[in-house]
């Protein structure tokens, strides 16, 4: 049994949260009294209107049916609601590098149209910033910890608002794969009754091995502005370089923590075989780790595809991930395996 499973078993036996310490063990034969797991404390923040973003692709998307998470008292993000008054499914999307929830509006609507509550958070710690040597950057930051915390808080909010929800889906892309992975094995990833928060995990072109991503960026940084930015952001997130704070890097490296995800019902990973931004071997490593943890995992390899923009559902990497999400929402399951996909 992995470490997370043992911790959750302890929670169930003690009737409390993973971080709680009872004053004395229960007497033999005494009833177990449930103690609710507290939700993460969050601070509401305002969303930047999508119309103010520089990326012209965002202007092509509508805001129809899109609501603001800050109006619920949550950190910044966006969500869409299904027509059903008692939905049974919740999808939490995790955006990638230099994106925010604006990129996910079409995907939010599509999931809601299939009957799920759908939410995408912006990540506390990510901000528009003037950065020396880089100029003004929208959505600066590798905010794995803030993004995971915000997304867990949003999931807990909607689970409380809709007690009818029984299944929760975790869907991350690129850097969002790193965030969604950490959110999946975070000690805070529990429901109000302390049971695991997530049921299904989907990641497209995900950063699962942060050490590999960081060392690759650092190697390219002297001659590549995007790589230099990623190196600086990852070091900011962790409080130093890999050599200075190896434990901080390990904490948010998905492949190093895959053993704690054995509670999942299934996982789907999708990656382009020619990805020059996040090498495909990261999804191979993660799929191996998930299978070793006992999680049915299917890896889809999009032949010849490089890294793609997460807002586009027409490109094969994103299309495949979203189709798999739709299939799972419709009652499908995940079977172990690997499938090539035509780009």
């Amino acid at each position: 049994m992995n470490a997370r499973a043992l911790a959750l078993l302890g929670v169930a036996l003690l009737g409390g949260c993973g971080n709680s310490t009872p004053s004395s063990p229960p007497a033999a034969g005494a009833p177990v009294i449930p103690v609710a797991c507290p939700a993460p404390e969050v601070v509401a923040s305002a969303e930047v209107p999508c119309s103010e973003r520089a990326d012209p692709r965002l202007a092509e998307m509508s805001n129809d049916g899109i609501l603001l998470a800050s109006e619920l008292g949550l950190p910044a993000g966006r969500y869409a609601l299904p027509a059903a008054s008692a939905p049974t499914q919740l999808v939490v999307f995790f955006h990638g590098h230099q994106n925010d929830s604006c990129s996910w509006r079409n995907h939010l609507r599509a999931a809601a149209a299939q009957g799920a509550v759908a939410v995408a958070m912006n990540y506390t710690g990510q901000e528009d910033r003037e950065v020396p040597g880089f100029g003004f950057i929208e959505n600066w930051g590798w905010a794995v910890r803030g993004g995971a915390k915000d997304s867990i808080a949003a999931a807990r909010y909607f689970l409380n608002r809709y007690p009818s929800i029984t299944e929760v889906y975790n869907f991350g892309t690129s850097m969002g794969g790193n965030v969604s992975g950490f959110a999946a094995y975070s000690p805070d990833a529990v429901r109000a009754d302390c049971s695991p928060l997530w049921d299904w995990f989907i990641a497209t072109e995900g950063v699962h091995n942060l050490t590999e991503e960081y060392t690759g960026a650092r190697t390219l940084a002297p001659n590549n502005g995007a790589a230099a930015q990623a190196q600086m952001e990852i070091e900011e997130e962790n409080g130093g370089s890999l050599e200075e704070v190896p434990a901080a890097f390990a904490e948010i490296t998905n492949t190093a923590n895959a053993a704690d995800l054995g509670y999942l019902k299934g996982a789907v990973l999708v990656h382009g075989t020619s990805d020059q931004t996040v090498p495909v071997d990261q999804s191979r490593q993660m799929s191996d780790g998930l299978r070793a943890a006992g999680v049915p995992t299917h890896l889809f390899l999009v032949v010849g595809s490089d890294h793609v923009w997460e807002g586009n559902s027409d490109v094969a990497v994103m299309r495949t991930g979203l189709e798999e999400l739709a299939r799972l929402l419709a009652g499908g399951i995940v079977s172990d395996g690997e499938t090539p996909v035509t780009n």
Side-chain angles (χ1 to χ4, degrees):
M1 186 177 291
N2 61 47
R4 178 178 170 82
L6 285 170
L8 290 171
L9 177 60
V11 166
L13 292 174
L14 295 174
C17 302
N19 295 326
S20 63
T21 303
S23 56
S24 60
V32 174
I33 302 174
V35 179
C37 275
E41 294 183 6
V42 297
V43 177
S45 55
E47 293 81 4
V48 175
C50 299
S51 60
E52 296 182 9
R53 289 302 185 196
D55 190 335
R57 295 171 296 188
L58 298 176
E60 299 174 2
M61 289 188 194
S62 165
N63 285 317
D64 291 349
I66 301 299
L67 303 166
L68 302 180
S70 63
E71 295 180 354
L72 304 175
L74 292 167
R78 290 172 172 82
Y79 68 99
L81 297 176
S85 59
T88 60
Q89 296 165 313
L90 166 66
V91 181
V92 182
F93 292 110
F94 296 77
H95 70 74
H97 188 233
Q98 284 198 265
N99 282 265
D100 61 20
S101 60
C102 288
S103 303
W104 289 80
R105 287 171 290 166
N106 287 343
H107 307 332
L108 290 169
R109 277 189 289 265
Q114 200 167 347
V117 176
V119 59
M121 303 303 286
N122 286 1
Y123 307 167
T124 296
Q126 181 174 292
E127 61 182 1
D128 298 345
R129 186 196 299 182
E130 187 73 35
V131 184
F134 294 91
F136 181 77
I137 302 292
E138 291 184 349
N139 292 316
W140 171 277
W142 198 274
V144 171
R145 294 171 178 86
K149 182 177 179 180
D150 291 353
S151 300
I152 290 170
R156 289 285 299 268
Y157 170 87
F158 285 109
L159 284 167
N160 180 65
R161 177 169 167 177
Y162 297 104
S164 53
I165 292 174
T166 58
E167 288 194 309
V168 185
Y169 298 74
N170 174 321
F171 188 122
T173 291
S174 192
M175 181 193 78
N178 190 180
V179 184
S180 65
F182 179 62
Y185 61 78
S186 165
D188 293 329
V190 292
R191 305 187 188 199
D193 63 358
C194 299
S195 63
L197 176 59
W198 311 100
D199 294 285
W200 305 92
F201 179 55
I202 302 171
T204 58
E205 56 189 15
V207 175
H208 298 297
N209 188 329
L210 184 61
T211 297
E212 178 181 302
E213 191 71 13
Y214 169 76
T215 54
R218 187 167 64 178
T219 299
L220 296 173
N223 301 302
N224 185 304
Q229 177 181 337
Q231 176 188 348
M232 185 173 175
E233 290 170 318
I234 294 170
E235 289 177 352
E236 281 188 8
E237 172 67 11
N238 289 295
S241 69
L242 175 63
E243 292 76 14
E244 292 168 330
V245 286
F249 276 75
E251 180 186 33
I252 58 171
T253 292
N254 299 350
T255 52
N257 296 276
D260 289 335
L261 298 177
Y263 68 89
L264 291 168
K265 294 178 180 178
V268 173
L269 305 182
V270 186
H271 218 119
T273 60
S274 300
D275 196 327
Q276 300 299 301
T277 302
V278 182
V280 65
D281 74 285
Q282 294 198 31
S283 283
R284 287 193 178 279
Q285 294 171 38
M286 192 62 185
S287 62
D288 289 344
L290 287 166
R291 290 187 185 112
V295 180
T297 303
H298 204 99
L299 174 61
F300 291 87
L301 297 173
V302 182
V303 180
S305 177
D306 199 347
H307 212 69
V308 303
W309 182 51
E310 59 204 58
N312 187 352
S313 60
D314 293 328
V315 290
V317 169
M318 287 302 298
R319 184 180 70 244
T320 302
L322 293 166
E323 287 175 349
E324 284 298 294
L325 170 63
R327 189 179 64 80
L328 292 174
L329 287 170
I333 61 171
V334 176
S335 300
D336 266 323
E338 183 174 307
T339 300
V341 177
T342 302
N343 187 19

